[in-house]
Amino acid sequence: MSDERLRPRDPHSADEELLEADTLAIVSQLDDAARVRRMAAEIEMGFDRLRPLRGHAVSIFGSARTPADSPEYAAGRTVARRLGEEGFAIITGGGPGLMEAANRGALDAGALSVGLGIDLPGEPGLNPYVGIPLEFHYFFARKIMFVRYARAFVVLPGGIGTGDELFEAWTLVQTEKIRHFPIVLFGSDYWGGLLDWMREAMLAGGKVSPGDLDIVHLTDDPEEVCRIVCAAEELRPPAP
């Protein structure tokens, strides 16, 4: 191994600077007190910018790699438009692909279109349909905003990042950290196999309870998405 490979390098992101701070892989740029201040400032920024939503929004996730001429893109745009017509703001990760489709659908309905960007190497930046842009350094701070300011998650076909958000919310509902919070999987051909595996392996093996799998809803119908999300609204205590 060359001496160059042994030498610590500058971190590529604030997340890496934080999580690799106690290794020899990177150059540590901050002390813990400075990191805490930076985290607090980022969370405060999100609270301040998103407070006007009053939580009346839906977070929509999906692949950044889906082309704009695909049926999945058209379906994502329709789902977001229908939710926007029901009075919900739309929150996405702000990127291309299905995130762009959802932000575009929000604008089709005249709804607020929010994009929560994240500092990643090689990211293309926010899509042109984001009306309220926020940029985050830390994944965990961004995740707080997706949940706190939404009434539901709609999960379009996606990859590892989409799955991360799905299972994060699934865990929060299962452990009763959040309530009356629908999680809708859109695309039965895409998500059906995952649910089948969970029943055949996790449920059959006693790793989850039957009710755990009932937390999520699977549909291919944008109108059904709206019915599920709006039905949950009726269970919430009225706003003061």
Side-chain angles (χ1 to χ4, degrees):
M1 184 178 294
S2 69
D3 291 342
E4 184 64 29
R5 291 186 63 187
L6 291 171
R7 193 172 296 124
R9 58 174 176 77
D10 289 335
H12 293 311
S13 67
D15 265 326
E16 186 180 36
E17 197 282 332
L18 168 67
L19 298 174
E20 296 274 9
D22 292 322
T23 75
L24 299 178
I26 66 159
V27 176
S28 184
Q29 298 175 326
L30 303 170
D31 60 22
D32 279 347
R35 293 186 185 104
V36 170
R37 288 194 296 271
R38 188 174 190 178
M39 294 177 212
E42 188 152 298
I43 292 172
E44 184 176 8
M45 177 275 295
F47 288 175
D48 182 63
R49 294 287 307 280
L50 297 179
R51 188 175 296 112
L53 298 183
R54 299 181 61 83
H56 200 73
V58 174
S59 291
I60 299 181
F61 304 93
S63 175
R65 306 181 185 188
T66 303
D69 59 354
S70 72
E72 287 180 351
Y73 185 104
R77 184 175 174 182
T78 299
V79 168
R81 176 180 57 79
R82 285 294 297 115
L83 288 167
E85 289 169 348
E86 295 292 337
F88 294 98
I90 301 299
I91 304 173
T92 80
L98 294 180
M99 291 176 281
E100 177 186 293
N103 287 126
R104 190 173 180 181
L107 293 187
D108 291 340
L112 291 176
S113 173
V114 181
L116 308 183
I118 184 72
D119 175 21
L120 291 176
E123 278 294 289
L126 297 176
N127 70 67
Y129 302 101
V130 170
I132 302 177
L134 285 75
E135 293 282 0
F136 289 86
H137 294 101
Y138 296 110
F139 268 118
F140 77 87
R142 180 178 182 243
K143 285 182 174 182
I144 291 170
M145 309 306 156
F146 278 130
V147 177
R148 178 176 179 184
Y149 291 97
R151 299 292 180 92
F153 274 15
V154 175
V155 188
L156 306 171
I160 293 171
T162 301
D164 176 46
E165 301 293 353
L166 164 62
F167 281 100
E168 179 99 20
W170 204 331
T171 301
L172 291 173
V173 175
Q174 184 215 32
T175 56
E176 299 185 349
K177 301 294 185 183
I178 51 177
R179 302 172 189 271
H180 311 311
F181 193 98
I183 302 169
V184 185
L185 299 176
F186 190 87
S188 57
D189 287 346
Y190 192 85
W191 294 113
L194 171 65
L195 297 179
D196 289 342
W197 174 80
M198 293 180 73
R199 293 186 191 96
E200 294 164 5
M202 299 174 78
L203 181 60
K207 305 299 189 295
V208 297
S209 301
D212 295 337
L213 299 186
D214 294 334
I215 289 171
V216 301
H217 308 265
L218 180 64
T219 185
D220 298 299
D221 182 3
E223 297 303 321
E224 180 68 10
V225 174
C226 289
R227 284 193 291 271
I228 292 167
V229 173
C230 292
E233 285 294 282
E234 297 178 4
L235 301 176
R236 290 178 177 273

